[in-house]
Amino acid sequence: MKPAAVAFYGAALGLLAVGLRELLTGFEENRCSMTYMFEYPEYRRVALPRRVARLYPAYGLYLYGEGVYAQETRALKLTGTPVLFLPGNAGSYKQARSLGSVALRKAENMDGGMHLNVFTVDFNEELVALYGGSLVRQTHFLHECIKAILRLYKHLKTPPQSVALVGHSMGGVVARALFTLPRFNPHLVSLIITQASPHMAPVLALDPYLLDFYDAVRQKWVYQANKLRNVTVLSVGGGYRDYQVRSGLTSLPCRPGDPNKLSLVVTAVPRTWVSTDHLSIVWCKELVLATVRAFFDLIDAETRQFTDSPERKLTVLNHHFIKHPVRMLRDVQNSSISILDVPEAWSEVNTLRLSYSTPKEGQLKYFLFALSSRRKAYSHFYCRSNNMEMSSWVFGCVHTNGSSCVRAVDLSMGTELLPPYKVLILSLSDLASVTHLVVSASNLNGKQFTVECEWQREESQSLSVSVPHVLSFGFAVSDITVNSSGLLHNIQLLHFHQVYQAFRINVVSQCRVNRDRLPSVYRIRVSWFREDSFTTASVPSAAEISGMLHTSRPDDSSDVLLQLHTAPNCQYKVSLRTSFPKMLGQALRFCGPMVPVYTAVTLLLACGGQLSTILKSGRAADMSQTVGRGLQPHKINLPVYLLHILLSCSRFQEILSIISIPPEDTLPPTFPDGVLHERAESPEEWPHLLSPLLYLLGAAVAYWGSALLRFLIRLISLTLAPLHRPSVTRTCGTLRLRTQLLIGLCLTVTGWTSCGALAIFASSLLHLYRVLRLQMTERSLSHMLNLAPRKQKPAANGAVEAEPQSKSNELNGVPLLSESDLQEVRDDLQLHLSLSVLLMLPVMLSAPSLIHWIRNLRFSTRLDPDPWWLHAVPLIFVYLLLINCNTLQLSNSRLLPVISCLPLPLAITMATFSSLHLYRVAYFLSAALVPLAFCCVL
């Protein structure tokens, strides 16, 4: 390895490490509370019809239970409301215990025996996020489970007509796929809640079945949305802690304006306000409580089943997941107060701000704010209280009697919960019929809390600051100072609307007088998607906020807003710096699937460089040099971008559709919700601007991956050397033609009857054995030549110089070895090392299918459907033919001049058409390797 190449790719590997560190660890600690079972959990298997059990032997349906409830439901005589949990990729049916246990505890406090029956499906922990062949089978089995669940309630007078579904990860996608089945009755499911489910697109598309499944679901929910208006779907993303499924992918693709499809990030859920990783979103107590409360509020008191009203479902979900108005949902009537008999409970406030702390003794207390003198000078009334009780607390007085209110309307429904307190902001223009505002500060139970209210001018509370440029690398700073004379300040972050932007926002608060104050809350508010995040800080303090986005701005909506709920008479200094590590993390979060594509591009160009070297000199170059030269952005990124411009033309797209060439491959859109299908024809440009960086990272993976493979081959060859007789020829490890045909036929039959990925893996082992034998031979020859006798050759000065014996010389009738023998073996070794790195790619891409087949061997010996069967046949013979290949055969082949030119155009088309469809990489590799295999024969 050349020092310059090592230093360059070492720096590239450092960039990749920084980005991965930010992606995997650059977030808040897990602040979720664990859910615990108070009794031993039991999972009672629900018997399914014999036909279903025979068709799906690996799957099962269970009812969750604990303690007495588990004993009462042993005979499956159920009277509750059915909820079905669907695990995701490699998920266990036992993950339903958090939802089921909390639902049982909640039912203990409900009147009339109202409770939930939580069912869970066992999908055999299949890797459906990586192998899509099981998704359709899971969908059909889910349909059978729903029908079996509803049959358990036939003995009731009013049996349930539908089942609520809770899907985690790919389970949420399967839940939506139910409606694509031709015989599915849409009325069997009217409510779906999904957790960290990638609805927009798969995280990695390693086979065509996965994308076909997504296309069918999208066609149903986007283009036939009118038939599904009675179905309410809520999708919850995990936030930045979930690096497996980014929250932008959890946005529901739907038509704009569909009110029954809600998408949000868990950090914005009231009473939750935490980010969850991909697994903790299932057991996070804060989110599970919100889900269970919503389920119980959705139960109709008369039928004791979930309501069929879409309006009611939307109201409940908005209450628990979007904007918690503090008041109970059932309190729908306007409240009125009349306490003329307690005049001492009233206090009229004539100042601009109220700050009141309740005493330890319980008392009745109301504050009266006159509106008549404030309408012209102020636009809003702001009030907050750290009394988080579910009660009405702000009223609009429409009839007064002196200093008290006779009749008032409740204005508390506009209240919003923040982590430390509840906040209500009223626009005075909406209070034309109100003469006074009334704030209740009563603490009859003796609980102490604080109430702070003030009149506000919107223009004086609003500020703006331009964010630094993304290429400032943290050297440029945008700052602004807020001299807080009020309780709320809004700072508009101009030009902050793309997902590749990332900032470190520091907020430092200072106060002149040290006293007890309510904590400050810093909220990043995104207008186009529900991905708000909250940071709570004491006063005075210094807090750092990560300024990043889950989705890009889809239109000309307002920029991101930094909302500061501040303490009065304090100073807040806000500074913004571009964070290069966070930008790298965002690049990997959104464009990570392109890195393995560029790794394949690098290795393909390295193979082409090796062939060109053999064509020119007849010798092979060192593998590290050829892989190091595989980074050629001027030959890849520029043509790819030109192709992008060309393929964006409508006329050219029509030509491509006629000749059945697929459209340009683009990453999943970063736009949220219904904007997906509106802007699908205008892909985003910024991934193309990042392509040189992604190419660099992919080349670093290829360079250090090949170095690791070289090290492992040397290590394994040392281990296996004592088991093999030393060889001194380049033909070590080769196969006879008859043996090749026999092995090829056996592997082909094996791939057809079991798994194509298994045949590919076995073929790769045969080629790897050839590389190991070459490594052993190279080491043996080196040692032999060091000990070989040398013939004497007179030097120019009359001295005698030793010279290695040539092969034609003999010692005691045994041919002697020469340096040319060693060079031949070294050339073949470097050639096969370059090929082995490239040949490892199909093995790695097919690994999920192989793992899925191994895990399901007890149910079926054949993988059906098998996405790698078509690739297996050509790749098997490629591996076998390349085993006997050497540099002499290649240099003498007439096809080599043509084949050495193939890798570059194949690499360009691979980078253009495989960024989302990763399985297409195998097609381009086969297109390069099949001619190369024939080149070794012809």
Side-chain angles (χ1 to χ4, degrees):
M1 294 185 181
K2 293 184 178 180
V6 172
F8 177 78
Y9 283 104
L13 184 64
L15 287 178
L16 180 60
V18 170
L20 287 175
R21 179 182 180 276
E22 189 63 37
L23 175 66
L24 302 178
T25 65
F27 38 70
E28 64 181 15
E29 62 180 7
N30 195 344
R31 296 187 289 115
C32 276
S33 302
M34 176 67 75
T35 51
Y36 295 97
M37 285 81 252
F38 293 91
E39 297 176 280
Y40 188 79
E42 296 183 27
Y43 302 88
R44 187 158 308 284
R45 191 176 185 105
V46 178
L48 298 172
R50 292 183 179 180
R51 176 187 61 84
V52 177
R54 185 175 62 254
L55 286 174
Y56 311 100
Y59 301 158
L61 176 64
Y62 294 85
L63 172 66
Y64 178 84
E66 294 179 15
V68 177
Y69 170 78
Q71 299 300 321
E72 293 175 349
T73 57
R74 185 178 297 275
L76 294 178
K77 298 294 184 180
L78 307 179
T79 59
T81 307
V83 175
L84 179 58
F85 175 80
L86 310 177
N89 177 58
S92 170
Y93 66 96
K94 295 183 179 180
Q95 289 176 307
R97 59 183 177 268
S98 296
L99 180 66
S101 181
V102 173
L104 288 176
R105 302 287 84 77
K106 175 72 174 177
E108 294 176 354
N109 302 321
M110 300 299 296
D111 297 331
M114 188 181 297
H115 64 281
L116 302 178
N117 298 133
V118 178
F119 297 85
T120 179
V121 177
D122 179 14
F123 283 139
N124 195 33
E125 302 183 11
E126 293 178 333
L127 299 173
V128 287
L130 304 177
Y131 169 72
S134 294
L135 287 170
V136 174
R137 186 161 53 246
Q138 287 189 1
T139 306
H140 282 281
F141 180 73
L142 176 59
H143 185 197
E144 299 294 338
C145 288
I146 292 174
K147 293 189 291 185
I149 290 172
L150 294 178
R151 283 196 294 267
L152 298 176
Y153 296 87
K154 290 298 184 181
H155 63 281
L156 299 179
K157 293 182 179 180
T158 56
Q161 303 300 316
S162 66
V163 178
L165 303 182
V166 179
H168 171 241
S169 187
M170 291 300 294
V173 183
V174 172
R176 293 174 63 241
L178 268 175
F179 298 86
T180 64
L181 300 181
R183 297 184 179 180
F184 178 72
N185 181 2
H187 297 286
L188 297 181
V189 175
S190 61
L191 175 63
I192 302 174
I193 296 179
T194 67
Q195 301 168 338
S197 299
H199 296 294
M200 194 76 76
V203 178
L204 292 174
L206 296 179
D207 62 58
Y209 306 119
L210 195 59
L211 286 172
D212 292 343
F213 185 81
Y214 268 84
D215 288 340
V217 175
R218 183 182 294 107
Q219 289 287 333
K220 185 69 176 182
W221 285 86
V222 174
Y223 300 104
Q224 301 181 30
N226 294 332
K227 300 179 181 179
L228 303 174
R229 289 195 173 275
N230 66 309
V231 184
T232 303
V233 185
L234 171 70
S235 175
V236 183
Y240 291 110
R241 285 193 60 86
D242 189 351
Y243 52 80
Q244 297 184 42
V245 178
R246 60 178 176 86
S247 294
L249 291 179
T250 63
S251 176
L252 289 167
C254 60
R255 289 192 174 277
D258 189 344
N260 296 317
K261 311 301 182 289
L262 305 174
S263 304
L264 50 90
V265 182
V266 68
T267 55
V269 176
R271 293 192 171 189
T272 304
W273 301 305
V274 295
S275 180
T276 62
D277 58 53
H278 196 62
L279 293 179
S280 67
I281 196 171
V282 176
W283 54 257
C284 182
K285 183 178 180 180
E286 290 78 4
L287 184 62
V288 173
L289 284 172
T291 305
V292 171
R293 289 171 184 148
F295 278 143
F296 276 94
D297 282 341
L298 285 168
I299 297 177
D300 188 288
E302 296 181 359
T303 63
R304 300 169 64 87
Q305 300 301 328
F306 289 124
T307 179
D308 294 328
S309 170
E311 294 77 14
R312 175 66 180 175
K313 289 183 289 186
L314 192 63
T315 301
V316 171
L317 295 180
N318 272 282
H319 175 88
H320 289 284
F321 289 93
I322 296 178
K323 186 174 182 180
H324 203 301
V326 178
R327 278 191 64 201
M328 294 296 290
L329 285 171
R330 295 180 177 87
D331 301 335
V332 294
Q333 297 179 352
N334 289 336
S335 301
S336 61
I337 56 173
S338 179
I339 44 178
L340 296 176
D341 54 338
V342 192
E344 62 273 11
W346 291 90
S347 296
E348 187 169 0
V349 180
N350 297 316
T351 59
L352 297 180
R353 182 181 299 116
L354 166 70
S355 180
Y356 175 76
S357 297
T358 58
K360 294 182 180 179
E361 300 79 13
Q363 68 172 10
L364 197 64
K365 191 67 177 178
Y366 294 95
F367 292 98
L368 195 65
F369 296 81
L371 279 171
S372 57
S373 60
R374 306 294 183 184
R375 292 186 185 276
K376 294 183 179 180
Y378 299 95
S379 61
H380 291 80
F381 179 77
Y382 174 97
C383 202
R384 67 190 182 196
S385 171
N386 59 355
N387 177 19
M388 307 296 276
E389 291 184 357
M390 307 271 291
S391 59
S392 301
W393 64 298
V394 178
F395 305 87
C397 190
V398 295
H399 186 194
T400 61
N401 184 4
S403 60
S404 60
C405 184
V406 176
R407 189 167 61 90
V409 294
D410 190 2
L411 303 177
S412 303
M413 291 303 293
T415 302
E416 189 171 15
L417 281 184
L418 302 183
Y421 37 69
K422 56 188 178 184
V423 172
L424 178 63
I425 304 175
L426 297 173
S427 175
L428 301 189
S429 59
D430 298 333
L431 304 176
S433 61
V434 176
T435 61
H436 293 75
L437 295 176
V438 179
V439 177
S440 173
S442 303
N443 65 329
L444 299 179
N445 56 2
K447 181 179 179 180
Q448 290 185 286
F449 57 88
T450 301
V451 176
E452 293 181 343
C453 304
E454 71 171 6
W455 302 98
Q456 292 182 344
R457 297 188 187 92
E458 184 177 11
E459 58 276 6
S460 63
Q461 307 293 329
S462 302
L463 305 169
S464 63
V465 60
S466 296
V467 298
H469 196 272
V470 291
L471 297 180
S472 63
F473 299 105
F475 295 105
V477 183
S478 297
D479 51 18
I480 189 172
T481 301
V482 177
N483 293 312
S484 177
S485 58
L487 303 178
L488 175 67
H489 296 273
N490 295 315
I491 302 177
Q492 192 173 16
L493 306 181
L494 302 177
H495 315 301
F496 181 23
H497 47 72
Q498 291 291 342
V499 294
Y500 58 80
Q501 296 174 293
F503 306 98
R504 287 188 294 110
I505 305 174
N506 292 285
V507 182
V508 180
S509 59
Q510 296 177 344
C511 302
R512 297 178 181 177
V513 180
N514 293 326
R515 62 183 180 86
D516 292 337
R517 293 179 172 88
L518 291 178
S520 297
V521 176
Y522 312 135
R523 176 181 189 176
I524 294 183
R525 192 162 197 168
V526 181
S527 59
W528 59 85
F529 191 54
R530 301 181 186 95
E531 55 176 283
D532 296 6
S533 60
F534 299 84
T535 301
T536 303
S538 58
V539 183
S541 67
E544 181 174 311
I545 308 171
S546 296
M548 298 183 295
L549 296 174
H550 294 289
T551 55
S552 294
R553 187 175 66 180
D555 46 34
D556 295 330
S557 55
S558 59
D559 291 291
V560 176
L561 194 69
L562 177 59
Q563 195 175 72
L564 306 179
H565 295 264
T566 58
N569 303 319
C570 294
Q571 185 183 72
Y572 290 78
K573 294 182 178 180
V574 182
S575 61
L576 295 91
R577 292 178 183 267
T578 299
S579 175
F580 184 65
K582 294 184 182 298
M583 286 176 56
L584 288 176
Q586 287 289 84
L588 293 178
R589 179 176 285 110
F590 287 87
C591 303
M594 294 181 67
V595 174
V597 175
Y598 281 115
T599 299
V601 167
T602 304
L603 295 176
L604 193 58
L605 292 181
C607 181
Q610 188 71 276
L611 296 179
S612 299
T613 303
I614 295 174
L615 177 65
K616 294 176 182 178
S617 63
R619 295 179 55 184
D622 186 81
M623 181 190 67
S624 61
Q625 295 181 10
T626 57
V627 177
R629 295 169 187 165
L631 179 60
Q632 303 177 29
H634 60 288
K635 294 183 179 180
I636 298 297
N637 295 126
L638 183 59
V640 167
Y641 189 70
L642 294 177
L643 271 176
H644 161 68
I645 297 175
L646 186 63
L647 294 174
S648 300
C649 300
S650 57
R651 293 183 180 179
F652 201 79
Q653 290 176 355
E654 294 175 359
I655 298 175
L656 291 180
S657 62
I658 293 175
I659 59 179
S660 300
I661 294 180
E664 177 195 9
D665 221 5
T666 57
L667 291 173
T670 61
F671 308 123
D673 296 340
V675 187
L676 168 66
H677 69 278
E678 290 185 343
R679 299 193 59 169
E681 297 181 357
S682 56
E684 300 170 272
E685 296 290 336
W686 66 268
H688 293 281
L689 302 178
L690 285 180
S691 58
L693 172 63
L694 299 171
Y695 190 6
L696 175 63
L697 299 181
V701 173
Y703 186 85
W704 293 108
S706 61
L708 177 62
L709 180 63
R710 175 67 183 272
F711 172 77
L712 292 176
I713 286 176
R714 288 181 177 179
L715 185 63
I716 297 173
S717 66
L718 281 173
T719 306
L720 298 180
L723 305 178
H724 294 78
R725 178 179 298 178
S727 176
V728 294
T729 64
R730 70 195 310 175
T731 58
C732 59
T734 57
L735 300 174
R736 296 179 180 179
L737 180 60
R738 182 180 300 176
T739 306
Q740 285 180 321
L741 293 176
L742 181 60
I743 294 177
L745 181 61
C746 292
L747 289 177
T748 302
V749 174
T750 300
W752 170 255
T753 57
S754 57
C755 175
L758 176 64
I760 294 174
F761 178 69
S763 303
S764 68
L765 290 181
L766 293 174
H767 181 267
L768 185 61
Y769 179 73
R770 162 70 163 156
V771 181
L772 291 171
R773 289 301 306 272
L774 283 172
Q775 182 68 59
M776 297 179 202
T777 303
E778 190 268 344
R779 186 182 300 108
S780 299
L781 278 174
S782 299
H783 292 170
M784 291 179 182
L785 286 175
N786 288 336
L787 301 174
R790 299 169 180 268
K791 70 178 183 179
Q792 302 296 321
K793 171 185 174 184
N797 57 3
V800 178
E801 180 179 334
E803 182 184 50
Q805 295 282 2
S806 64
K807 193 171 182 178
S808 60
N809 295 328
E810 294 184 356
L811 182 63
N812 298 327
V814 178
L816 298 179
L817 302 173
S818 66
E819 292 287 346
S820 61
D821 297 308
L822 177 60
Q823 188 59 50
E824 289 175 355
V825 173
R826 284 178 174 172
D827 287 341
D828 291 350
L829 176 61
Q830 295 302 324
L831 170 64
H832 281 277
L833 282 173
S834 300
L835 292 176
S836 62
V837 182
L838 191 63
L839 294 174
M840 287 298 293
L841 292 178
V843 177
M844 298 173 66
L845 291 173
S846 62
S849 296
L850 179 60
I851 295 173
H852 178 86
W853 174 77
I854 293 174
R855 296 179 63 174
N856 286 271
L857 265 179
R858 56 178 176 155
F859 303 109
S860 175
T861 57
R862 185 184 180 189
L863 182 65
D864 184 29
D866 189 352
W868 285 91
W869 162 242
L870 292 178
H871 299 286
V873 177
L875 286 177
I876 287 171
F877 289 95
V878 163
Y879 282 104
L880 294 176
L881 291 176
L882 289 179
I883 287 176
N884 291 356
C885 185
N886 57 54
T887 54
L888 180 62
Q889 290 176 336
L890 283 179
S891 59
N892 294 332
S893 175
R894 297 179 181 180
L895 299 178
L896 185 60
V898 177
I899 293 174
S900 62
C901 299
L902 281 179
L904 180 58
L906 288 176
I908 294 173
T909 51
M910 182 192 298
T912 305
F913 294 100
S914 300
S915 58
L916 176 61
H917 302 70
L918 286 178
Y919 66 89
R920 289 179 180 171
V921 171
Y923 291 100
F924 295 104
L925 293 178
S926 299
L929 292 172
V930 169
L932 178 59
F934 281 107
C935 187
C936 297
V937 178
L938 302 178

